[in-house]
Amino acid sequence: DQQVKQNSPSLSVQEGRISILNCDYTNSMFDYFLWYKKYPAEGPTFLISISSIKDKNEDGRFTVFLNKSAKHLSLHIVPSQPGDSAVYFCAASGISYGKLTFGQGTILTVHP
Amino acid sequence: DVKVTQSSRYLVKRTGEKVFLECVQDMDHENMFWYRQDPGLGLRLIYFSYDVKMKEKGDIPEGYSVSREKKERFSLILESASTNQTSMYLCAAKAGGSGNTIYFGEGSWLTVV
């Protein structure tokens, strides 16, 4: 049972344009959501997070939107840069020791 | 920043061997985790620990065990390695509470032949 889903395995975007990565979840007990970025042969690094009491959080070029009624979150990257090319994972946690449940990941490729 | 160190980056083991993957964190965090990453499957939780000598099964614990004798160290053990355990293994640490960020190590690439 995949509680966190990223339905797009890959996304290709031109440099300078917006990248939108999507994530859906099924467990209504999740109250904290995160995005991680991963380069090959490295561990994931934290990018941005959002609590369920908010619907938007911004950090520089990165914005995460949360739609609780639809159980959907998205990550917007504006403007996209070639260095943003990586695998992006969304993750969710509830109150159970904060363990994270991850989606399958989306490979983002930003073309110069 | 939290530093999570995995002792081995690349390992090649034979089927049936016992394998130890070691992980150390430097921030006195209560929670530690072992995930594996496989293409198309994302990161799947194997085991986690919320305190010394405490452990909980994650989503895919079969074929694995863990040990946490000290707060800073969390070990993953493959009692008898099999080829389907070829994967990238990621250790992580996190402070208590649901809102805190989880920090990952660099990962260990295990190939079982």
Side-chain angles (χ1 to χ4, degrees):
Chain A
D1 177 30
Q2 190 80 27
Q3 296 188 66
V4 178
K5 294 182 183 180
Q6 294 174 255
N7 292 316
S8 298
S10 62
L11 175 67
S12 183
V13 171
Q14 204 68 30
E15 181 179 6
R17 308 294 283 267
I18 185 171
S19 296
I20 300 176
L21 297 101
N22 293 302
C23 180
D24 297 296
Y25 62 96
T26 57
N27 190 338
S28 57
M29 298 302 289
F30 288 145
D31 63 358
Y32 195 68
F33 304 89
L34 307 91
W35 285 94
Y36 282 81
K37 175 180 179 180
K38 186 181 182 299
Y39 294 115
E42 294 184 10
T45 55
F46 170 72
L47 202 54
I48 192 169
S49 63
I50 188 166
S51 164
S52 60
I53 62 172
K54 293 186 174 183
D55 55 16
K56 178 181 174 182
N57 188 28
E58 282 183 84
D59 184 2
R61 296 186 296 114
F62 302 92
T63 303
V64 56
F65 295 92
L66 176 62
N67 182 334
K68 282 181 291 184
S69 60
K71 294 191 176 68
H72 177 84
L73 65 154
S74 60
L75 174 68
H76 293 210
I77 306 174
V78 182
S80 300
Q81 300 172 353
D84 295 330
S85 297
V87 181
Y88 289 78
F89 291 98
C90 71
S93 76
I95 60 172
S96 176
Y97 305 108
K99 70 183 181 83
L100 295 181
T101 300
F102 284 84
Q104 306 97 311
T106 297
I107 301 169
L108 173 66
T109 304
V110 181
H111 299 283
Chain B
D1 278 352
V2 177
K3 186 160 180 64
V4 179
T5 304
Q6 295 182 230
S7 57
S8 303
R9 291 300 312 276
Y10 301 96
L11 306 94
V12 180
K13 298 292 181 180
R14 295 192 179 278
T15 300
E17 274 194 79
K18 191 168 186 176
V19 181
F20 291 87
L21 298 178
E22 305 286 344
C23 175
V24 177
Q25 53 111 348
D26 67 353
M27 285 299 290
D28 202 38
H29 284 347
E30 293 87 353
N31 302 311
M32 295 189 75
F33 308 83
W34 275 105
Y35 286 86
R36 64 178 278 179
Q37 184 201 354
D38 300 288
L41 298 176
L43 278 70
R44 295 180 292 166
L45 182 64
I46 305 171
Y47 267 96
F48 66 102
S49 169
Y50 50 90
D51 203 349
V52 176
K53 296 191 186 294
M54 306 301 286
K55 60 184 180 184
E56 290 282 341
K57 293 180 180 179
D59 301 317
I60 51 163
E62 296 78 20
Y64 303 94
S65 62
V66 290
S67 172
R68 193 161 181 205
E69 296 297 317
K70 294 184 178 181
K71 193 173 186 179
E72 68 271 18
R73 188 178 297 271
F74 192 36
S75 304
L76 179 69
I77 303 153
L78 287 68
E79 294 290 341
S80 178
S82 62
T83 54
N84 63 12
Q85 292 178 309
T86 292
S87 186
M88 183 180 197
Y89 290 87
L90 292 157
C91 177
K94 178 184 165 303
S98 66
N100 295 304
T101 304
I102 190 171
Y103 296 93
F104 284 90
E106 291 287 293
S108 298
W109 282 100
L110 172 66
T111 302
V112 182
V113 297

